[in-house]
């Protein structure tokens, strides 16, 4: 049965909202309307615009085109505080509690109850306890927020929103860090809130949750509305299909992948486990096994937090967590403790976050490129041979067609795509046998993506074993010989290039592994 | 042109040194009459010793850390070298009141080794115990000076009268302290060594990479702990060298005053010379000129303020550091000189605070130099400052609104 208590007047409406970041359009004419007391689930792939939409709704982004209506009145929030005061609150994916303060102090942060110039702690504690009791949570309000488990911290955030008298509650992937029991309790709380008439916008890509809770499901793709469907008129398969259904743009530009299953196996991972200390899920990676061959491109698909980056970190000696299982590189079992050992063994990695983990803003283009291969450009044991370094960089700049004013230009003056080529080139100069690419086309414009694809294909043809993680399915389907799908730290499916479809991958990625 | 722009900091400092010296010469005849004495003994000699440990501070700053311990390391190294020399004499090594060369060498080598030991402990605290560099070296800042005092007291007590100060009467020691160019030569050799190291070796390139982006450096396979060991050991080593030179200058170890606030002077020289405290940026040439510039300004003030000039050092260093960093940031930032320095109500309170500070500085300094009307003139100076800053604030605000009006007009079709 559709829970539709007041069908005549939507509580909150979004009409034709567009949001741009520089040249990138994150939201394009998105509209939605939610009835009072309804639970609308919002789903979409990574980068579909879910979070941007939520940030506009909760007043975090104040500049956008289009209109927001609350109870039929046009509104434009001046900030999060303004939105809260009108009854719209958000529970973020990352919780925003001050860990050193008590639960009550967190709930009343910024609007503390004051009597004669002093904090009225007893009063705040009493009221906090009342709200927590409503949420079926019996923790004393004097407890420090930092001592709570994640699930309880989330309840405190919800209590805070309720104490503000919120009618609209936005929840951004609330169960991503919860155990099963905590999720079940959250389910109960959400149902109860909905019965009390609180309107909930619920972002998630976990199908089972969506189908348990939602009245209607809104699907976003590439910043646009795809459709809004009542829950009982659809099924998880259809939703997964709607989330990804789009045309491939690269077919004309790049020749189809050659079948490369005959190379020698060069990397083998057997039953790899990676511990996740102090987290209910316990393992960042659980029982991962696969083999990769020279000349092969192996893709890793999965949603945010599925464990793609965590896996690459293990292979590159960048993890300080406890590991179990075997990693075999070129026939030798290895356990790297520092990236330099991985590099010496012939592995190179291009990290996901170029700005934070890849670039040196204080070094110029040449220094950025040559950094990892300086040892081979030294004259004697110590001095860098400047000429040799320059020559090597120049040939790399020519090979990869990096557009730069000169070798001594600031790295920041290059476009995103050319910066990425520099980072890839830096790794290539170490002459690796295995190349790990973590989301190599993130934040790169369309033209440069094509060039990076060609480069990756070329490297594989030259006999490199390429492992590539990406949040963009079309690019994995385009490039990879095989695609492995991760979900919550486990391998849930493996497809050959011929078998793989976006829909099948998305189903495996949203599957809750048993 | 490119060359001029790249070495902008150095050019500004060079011009600054000449200007400050020239201006002081106009007011003070001694600057010309005793030119050689002034330049060598009063400026270059202390500047060289300051420069030596400023080089060490600069390496740490370039690698993205901070070393607060150099002042105390100086006291410890001066104490070590003096105690060793004294002990050698006491054990009867000296002949005709002079120690054989190997005794002096052993004393110096042992002292330098202690510098490296201190640097190793810093690195251990920072990379293994994972203390922030600020805390790890702050502990040495307070601890090492105290250790030097205890060392001096206990050793002197065991062989005679207990005393905090330890005197050394050795001709070799005296000869080193007397000649300004020895310190200068050590400084220049170290500077040249460091220049080559930073610009032409893998180690140097990795230091810049570490300071620019530590995580990316590790991911590039750089052993960041080893680099940090080099940086902190080099810093403590240079401080040890400076400590020995300070000891030869007065032929004494005086841990209560030697190298006091040295760490701040070293960091100041590095920052004035263009090092960024965020790490990854800085050049040896800048640090060398920064140290000389700092010393020139301190000496100029000493010449102009005849009474109690030492007391002004702190104020000068503080002011220069603020100006140098602000200048660097302004030339680098997008807003540049269009920045609003005194925005809104906070601007007013800043103007008030600065004026009060200027009043205090002006009246107390004038009083100290014996001016009769010091209080009145000080108040006047503060009042003038307030007026000037108010005018500045108003003009900047008007200019800003004008610019945005023009920009709005240009956007209309």
């Amino acid at each position: 049965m559709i829970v539709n208590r007041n069908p005549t007047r939507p509580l909150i409406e979004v009409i034709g909202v567009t949001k741009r970041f520089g040249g990138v359009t994150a939201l394009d004419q998105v509209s939605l309307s939610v009835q009072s007391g309804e639970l609308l689930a919002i789903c979409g792939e990574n980068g579909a615009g879910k979070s941007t939409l939520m940030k506009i709704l909760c007043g975090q982004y104040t500049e956008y085109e289009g209109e927001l209506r609350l109870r039929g009145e046009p509104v434009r929030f001046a900030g999060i505080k303004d939105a809260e005061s009108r009854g719209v609150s958000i529970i973020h994916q990352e919780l925003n509690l001050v860990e050193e303060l008590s639960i009550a102090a967190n709930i009343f942060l910024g609007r503390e109850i004051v009597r004669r110039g002093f904090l009225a702690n007893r009063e705040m504690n009493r009221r906090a306890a009342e709200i927590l009791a409503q949420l079926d949570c019996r923790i004393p309000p004097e407890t420090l927020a930092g001592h709570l488990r994640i699930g309880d911290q989330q309840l405190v955030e919800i209590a805070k929103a309720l104490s503000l008298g919120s009618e609209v509650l936005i929840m951004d992937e609330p169960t991503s860090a919860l155990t099963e029991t905590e999720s079940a309790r959250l389910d109960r709380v959400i149902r109860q809130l909905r019965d009390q008439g609180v309107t909930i916008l619920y972002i998630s890509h976990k199908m089972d949750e969506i189908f348990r809770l939602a009245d209607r499901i809104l699907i976003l793709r590439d910043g646009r509305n795809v459709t809004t469907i009542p829950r009982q008129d659809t099924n998880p398969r259809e939703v997964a299909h709607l989330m990804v259904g789009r045309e491939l743009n690269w077919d004309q530009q790049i020749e189809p992948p050659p079948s490369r299953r005959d190379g020698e196996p060069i990397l083998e991972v057997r039953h790899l486990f990676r511990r996740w200390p102090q987290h209910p899920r316990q393992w960042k990676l659980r029982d991962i096994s696969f083999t990769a061959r020279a000349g092969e491109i192996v893709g890793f698909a999965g949603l945010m937090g599925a464990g793609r980056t965590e896996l690459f970190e293990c292979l590159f000696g960048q993890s300080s967590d406890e590991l179990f299982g075997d990693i075999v590189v070129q026939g030798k079992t290895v356990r790297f403790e520092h990236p330099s050992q991985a590099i010496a063994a012939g592995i190179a990695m291009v990290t996901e976050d170029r700005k934070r983990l890849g670039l040196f803003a204080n070094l110029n283009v040449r220094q950025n490129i040559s950094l990892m291969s300086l040892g081979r450009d030294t004259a004697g044991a110590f001095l860098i041979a400047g000429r040799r370094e320059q020559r090597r960089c120049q040939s790399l700049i020519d090979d990869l067609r990096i557009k730069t004013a000169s070798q001594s230009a600031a790295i920041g003056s290059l476009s995103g795509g050319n910066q990425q080529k520099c980072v890839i080139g830096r790794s290539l100069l170490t002459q690796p046998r295995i190349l790990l690419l973590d989301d190599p086309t993130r934040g790169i414009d369309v033209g440069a993506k094509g060039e990076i694809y060609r480069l990756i294909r070329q490297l594989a043809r030259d006999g490199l074993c390429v492992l590539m993680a990406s949040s963009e399915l079309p690019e994995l389907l385009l490039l990879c010989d095989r695609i492995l799908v991760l979900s919550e730290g486990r391998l849930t499916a493996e497809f050959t290039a011929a078998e793989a479809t976006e829909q099948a991958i998305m189903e495996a990625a949203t599957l809750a592994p048993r | 042109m490119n060359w001029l722009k790249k070495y902008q900091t150095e050019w500004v400092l060079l011009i600054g040194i000449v200007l400050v010296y020239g201006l002081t010469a106009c007011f003070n005849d001694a600057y010309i009459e005793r030119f050689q004495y002034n330049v060598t003994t009063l400026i270059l000699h202390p500047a060289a010793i300051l420069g030596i440990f400023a080089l060490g501070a600069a390496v740490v700053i370039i690698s993205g850390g901070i070393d607060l311990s150099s002042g105390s390391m100086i006291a410890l190294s001066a104490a070590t070298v003096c105690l060793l020399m004294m002990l050698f004499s006491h054990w009867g090594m000296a002949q005709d009141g002079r120690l054989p060369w190997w005794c002096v060498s052993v004393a110096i080598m042992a002292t330098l080794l202690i510098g490296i030991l201190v640097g190793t402990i810093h690195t251990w605290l920072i990379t293994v115990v994972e203390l922030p560099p600020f805390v790890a070296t702050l502990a040495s800042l307070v601890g090492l000076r105290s250790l030097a005092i205890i060392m001096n007291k206990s050793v002197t007590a065991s062989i005679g009268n207990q005393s905090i100060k330890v005197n050394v009467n050795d001709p070799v020691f005296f000869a080193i302290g007397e000649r300004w160019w020895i310190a200068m030569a050590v400084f220049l050799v170290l500077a040249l060594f460091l220049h080559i190291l930073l610009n032409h070796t893998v180690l140097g390139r990795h230091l810049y990479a570490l300071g620019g982006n530590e995580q990316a450096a590790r991911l590039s396979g750089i052993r960041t702990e080893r680099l940090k060991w080099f940086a902190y050991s080099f810093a403590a080593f240079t401080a040890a060298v400076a400590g020995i030179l300070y000891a030869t200058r007065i032929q004494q170890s005086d841990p209560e005053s030697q190298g006091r606030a040295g760490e701040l002077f070293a960091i100041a020289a590095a920052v004035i010379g263009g090092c960024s405290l965020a790490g990854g940026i800085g050049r040896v040439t800048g640090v060398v000129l920064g140290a000389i510039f700092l010393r020139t300004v301190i000496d100029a003030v000493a010449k102009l303020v005849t009474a109690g000039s030492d007391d002004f050092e702190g104020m000068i260093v503080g002011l220069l550091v603020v100006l140098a960093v602000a200048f660097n940031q302004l030339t680098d930032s997008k807003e540049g000189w269009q920045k609003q320095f005194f925005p809104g109500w906070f601007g007013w309170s800043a103007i008030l605070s600065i004026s009060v500070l200027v009043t205090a500085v002006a009246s107390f300094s004038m009083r100290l130099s014996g001016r009769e009307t010091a209080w009145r003139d000080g108040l006047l100076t503060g009042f003038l400052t307030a007026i000037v800053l108010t005018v500045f604030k108003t003009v900047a605000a008007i200019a800003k609104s004008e610019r945005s009006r023009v920009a709005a007009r240009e956007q209309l079709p």
Side-chain angles (χ1 to χ4, degrees):
Chain A
M1 190 194 95
I2 313 178
V3 190
N4 207 347
R5 291 174 183 82
N6 187 355
T8 49
R9 202 179 113 197
L11 180 66
I12 189 161
E13 279 174 286
V14 173
I15 301 161
V17 164
T18 298
K19 168 84 188 168
R20 295 192 176 87
F21 296 99
V24 183
T25 308
L27 287 179
D28 189 3
Q29 293 287 326
V30 170
S31 302
L32 66 87
S33 97
V34 195
Q35 310 291 331
S36 180
E38 192 184 21
L39 194 148
L40 178 73
I42 299 175
C43 39
E45 270 190 290
N46 302 331
K50 295 170 292 187
S51 296
T52 314
L53 180 61
M54 291 307 106
K55 283 175 181 162
I56 286 174
L57 279 170
C58 73
Q60 192 170 342
Y61 292 155
T62 54
E63 304 214 336
Y64 54 88
E65 296 157 36
E67 198 179 60
L68 233 64
R69 286 196 197 156
L70 195 60
R71 297 177 202 90
E73 305 276 314
V75 285
R76 188 166 269 265
F77 299 131
I80 294 178
K81 282 250 160 190
D82 188 27
E84 281 177 351
S85 71
R86 292 173 201 235
V88 180
S89 295
I90 188 163
I91 316 289
H92 280 284
Q93 203 171 349
E94 305 91 37
L95 300 173
N96 287 315
L97 295 177
V98 184
E99 302 201 335
E100 292 78 11
L101 292 182
S102 73
I103 294 178
N106 267 293
I107 291 178
F108 291 98
L109 193 64
R111 50 200 179 85
E112 287 79 1
I113 302 172
V114 174
R115 297 266 178 275
R116 293 191 211 90
F118 292 99
L119 287 176
N121 278 324
R122 204 173 305 166
E123 166 106 17
M124 286 193 275
N125 285 340
R126 190 178 55 74
R127 287 217 221 162
E130 279 172 20
I131 302 168
L132 288 173
Q134 267 182 45
L135 294 177
D136 197 17
C137 171
R138 307 280 164 205
I139 302 167
E142 300 86 9
T143 319
L144 294 190
H147 292 177
L148 300 178
R149 301 176 59 101
I150 303 273
D152 292 329
Q153 290 191 357
Q154 207 161 36
L155 286 185
V156 174
E157 290 257 24
I158 295 173
K160 187 173 175 177
L162 291 182
S163 78
L164 285 158
S166 298
E167 290 174 72
V168 180
L169 206 57
I170 302 169
M171 304 179 108
D172 192 357
E173 299 194 16
T175 58
S176 55
L178 299 192
T179 59
E180 250 163 71
T181 26
E182 283 174 327
S183 295
R185 183 178 59 176
L186 187 67
D187 267 17
R188 279 204 306 282
V189 169
I190 289 175
R191 272 174 225 269
Q192 186 192 334
L193 290 174
R194 190 179 52 184
D195 293 342
Q196 290 167 5
V198 177
T199 306
I200 297 171
L201 298 177
Y202 190 92
I203 300 180
S204 177
H205 44 228
K206 294 189 185 165
M207 291 297 163
D208 51 341
E209 275 167 36
I210 293 173
F211 278 84
R212 231 172 21 239
L213 295 168
D215 299 318
R216 286 187 303 148
I217 301 168
L218 166 72
I219 296 153
L220 291 177
R221 186 200 310 151
D222 297 335
R224 295 198 193 96
N225 281 73
V226 177
T227 182
T228 312
I229 342 171
R231 183 221 341 179
Q232 70 274 37
D233 295 354
T234 186
N235 56 53
R237 265 182 89 86
E238 189 190 7
V239 172
H241 180 65
L242 288 168
M243 276 160 70
V244 295
R246 72 186 133 188
E247 303 300 315
L248 297 185
N249 307 322
W250 300 103
D251 291 347
Q252 303 84 15
Q253 289 189 32
I254 306 209
E255 65 256 58
S259 180
R260 276 284 199 170
R261 310 215 55 178
D262 47 349
E264 48 175 320
I266 196 166
L267 173 70
E268 248 187 292
V269 173
R270 292 194 210 115
H271 305 293
L272 185 71
F273 287 71
R274 174 170 174 185
R275 180 88 71 190
W276 196 344
Q278 279 145 29
H279 191 280
R281 223 165 82 191
Q282 287 194 348
W283 303 98
K284 282 179 183 162
L285 297 172
R286 241 188 128 153
D287 201 9
I288 306 276
S289 301
F290 66 91
T291 309
R293 295 158 190 279
E296 192 182 30
I297 306 177
V298 182
F300 285 85
L303 297 159
M304 218 71 97
R308 296 170 300 175
T309 303
E310 287 76 6
L311 173 63
F312 281 13
E313 282 173 353
C314 293
L315 299 180
F316 196 59
Q318 171 63 9
S319 128
S320 54
D321 300 321
E322 221 179 330
L323 292 185
F324 301 94
D326 291 331
I327 301 171
V328 183
V329 177
Q330 299 188 47
K332 258 183 262 164
T333 304
V334 292
R335 176 98 358 137
F336 303 127
E337 268 151 28
H338 192 276
S340 61
Q341 296 168 335
I343 293 166
I347 302 180
M349 172 150 98
V350 172
T351 49
E352 168 186 41
D353 190 339
R354 187 169 57 244
K355 205 159 192 177
R356 196 166 62 84
L357 301 174
L359 291 179
F360 297 90
N362 59 327
L363 303 181
N364 64 28
V365 171
R366 177 177 57 245
Q367 293 163 337
N368 263 287
I369 289 177
S370 66
L371 190 72
M372 287 167 76
S373 53
L374 282 174
R376 299 192 293 123
D377 286 333
T378 44
F382 206 54
L383 292 177
I384 296 173
R387 288 267 170 70
R388 224 180 296 165
E389 186 195 356
Q390 272 179 16
R391 262 206 311 274
R392 203 187 289 273
C393 284
Q394 194 55 52
S395 71
L396 187 90
I397 287 173
D398 297 340
D399 284 354
L400 304 193
R401 279 181 266 163
I402 297 172
K403 286 188 200 69
T404 172
S406 76
Q407 287 194 12
S408 43
I411 192 79
S413 69
L414 270 57
S415 70
N418 284 304
Q419 290 180 353
Q420 186 69 332
K421 285 190 204 168
C422 289
V423 175
I424 295 177
R426 177 201 296 158
S427 303
L428 292 181
L429 285 182
T430 62
Q431 301 190 333
R433 303 288 309 274
I434 302 168
L435 182 62
L436 311 175
L437 299 172
D438 195 358
D439 230 340
T441 60
R442 187 158 103 171
I444 287 178
D445 64 74
V446 177
K449 275 187 186 175
E451 291 204 33
I452 300 236
Y453 294 161
R454 260 195 293 273
L455 172 64
I456 293 171
R457 180 60 57 66
Q458 180 61 43
L459 292 170
R461 245 199 310 272
D462 294 346
L464 218 66
C465 166
V466 180
L467 305 194
M468 172 174 162
S470 174
S471 42
E472 290 185 35
L473 293 183
E475 101 184 0
L476 290 177
L477 289 169
L478 179 73
L479 288 170
C480 299
D481 301 308
R482 274 189 299 149
I483 298 174
L484 309 184
V485 187
L486 293 171
S487 173
E488 297 186 12
R490 297 186 223 202
L491 215 52
T492 50
E494 174 174 348
F495 301 100
T496 62
E499 298 164 350
T501 63
E502 292 197 45
Q503 196 181 341
I505 294 175
M506 196 41 94
E507 267 173 46
T510 47
L511 193 75
R514 294 284 152 245
Chain B
M1 266 329 281
N2 217 338
W3 192 65
L4 265 181
K5 196 167 159 47
K6 184 179 171 195
Y7 291 98
Q8 188 191 355
T9 317
E10 281 86 341
W11 292 120
V12 171
L13 284 174
L14 213 57
I15 295 166
I17 293 168
V18 174
L19 265 181
V20 171
Y21 195 87
L23 275 176
T24 328
C26 295
F27 293 103
N28 193 302
D29 296 339
Y31 252 47
I32 299 174
E33 284 162 18
R34 306 182 61 198
F35 179 77
Q36 202 197 344
Y37 170 79
N38 265 305
V39 172
T40 58
T41 312
L42 293 185
I43 296 180
L44 287 183
H45 195 173
I49 304 181
L50 165 62
I52 286 169
F53 61 97
L55 288 175
V59 170
V60 173
I61 289 173
I62 287 171
S63 79
I66 191 85
D67 187 352
L68 296 178
S69 71
S70 37
S72 302
M73 185 59 225
I74 285 169
L76 180 67
S77 106
T80 313
V81 77
C82 289
L83 283 174
L84 283 174
M85 300 278 281
M86 190 186 73
L87 283 174
F88 283 137
S89 309
H90 180 71
W91 292 331
M93 306 283 192
Q95 289 153 3
D96 319 327
R98 128 190 336 247
L99 282 168
W101 64 268
W102 68 265
C103 284
V104 182
S105 311
V106 165
I108 288 176
M109 289 298 168
T111 310
L112 297 181
L113 192 67
I114 283 181
I116 293 172
L117 294 185
V118 169
T120 307
I121 293 173
H122 286 159
T123 318
W124 177 72
L125 287 173
I126 291 163
T127 60
V128 182
V129 188
E130 294 182 29
L131 296 183
F134 190 94
V135 176
T137 56
L138 185 69
S140 313
L141 166 66
V142 285
L144 295 183
R145 190 176 295 279
S146 177
L147 173 64
I149 292 172
I150 293 172
M151 271 164 53
N152 278 4
K153 276 188 173 173
S154 67
V155 176
T156 46
S158 68
I159 62 173
N161 293 329
Q162 177 178 332
S163 138
I164 287 185
K165 297 180 183 177
V166 173
N167 293 304
V168 173
N169 296 314
D170 187 80
V172 179
F173 227 54
F174 180 72
I176 295 176
E178 197 193 31
R179 295 175 172 75
W180 69 275
W181 54 265
I182 292 182
M184 198 41 143
V186 173
F187 177 36
L188 291 181
V189 167
L190 274 172
L192 187 69
F193 164 77
L194 190 63
H195 180 82
I196 293 172
L197 184 106
L198 285 180
N199 290 305
H200 299 288
T201 69
V202 181
L203 177 66
R205 184 71 59 77
H206 284 181
L207 279 168
Y208 280 108
L210 170 65
N213 190 340
E214 178 166 355
Q215 275 182 294
R218 194 184 132 87
L219 282 166
S220 301
I222 295 174
R223 295 280 186 170
T224 50
E225 323 83 55
R226 296 180 194 173
L227 284 178
K228 285 184 184 172
W229 177 79
F230 171 80
Y232 286 97
S233 299
F234 185 76
F237 171 83
T238 51
V241 174
I244 296 171
L245 290 170
Y246 275 127
T248 61
R249 240 191 142 192
I250 55 172
Q251 303 180 56
Q252 190 183 51
S253 155
D254 176 8
E256 280 185 319
S257 73
Q258 255 166 351
R260 205 164 262 288
E263 61 285 341
L264 297 183
F265 282 78
I267 294 167
V271 168
I272 290 171
C275 293
S276 158
L277 283 177
I281 294 171
R283 279 187 302 272
V284 170
T285 40
V287 180
V288 170
L289 289 171
I292 298 176
F293 178 73
L294 195 59
R295 194 60 226 174
T296 312
V297 175
I298 290 172
D299 191 56
V301 174
K303 283 289 183 310
L304 298 179
V305 188
T306 39
S309 61
D310 285 356
D311 306 331
F312 285 85
E313 275 187 12
M315 252 161 37
I316 300 160
V317 174
L319 187 66
L320 283 181
V321 169
V322 169
L323 287 180
V325 176
F327 180 77
N328 269 342
Q329 279 183 352
L330 278 180
T331 48
D332 287 350
S333 78
K334 252 187 291 176
E335 289 176 302
W337 296 96
Q338 292 179 357
K339 189 183 176 75
Q340 297 285 307
F341 282 94
F342 302 103
W345 67 267
F346 186 68
W348 289 116
S349 48
I351 289 178
L352 179 70
S353 315
I354 293 173
S355 307
V356 170
L357 187 68
V358 168
T359 311
V361 171
S363 22
F364 289 119
S365 351
M366 286 194 271
R367 189 73 210 107
L368 192 67
S369 53
R371 191 157 177 153
E372 291 293 318
T373 55
W375 305 126
R376 200 197 63 195
D377 293 354
L379 264 178
L380 206 63
T381 321
F383 193 61
L384 274 175
T385 312
I387 290 175
V388 169
L389 291 181
T390 307
V391 171
F392 183 70
K393 173 185 163 75
T394 322
V395 170
I398 293 172
K400 185 185 173 190
S401 69
E402 191 61 28
R403 270 198 308 276
S404 59
R405 261 219 339 251
V406 171
R409 210 178 313 140
E410 277 169 358
Q411 285 202 339
L412 289 176

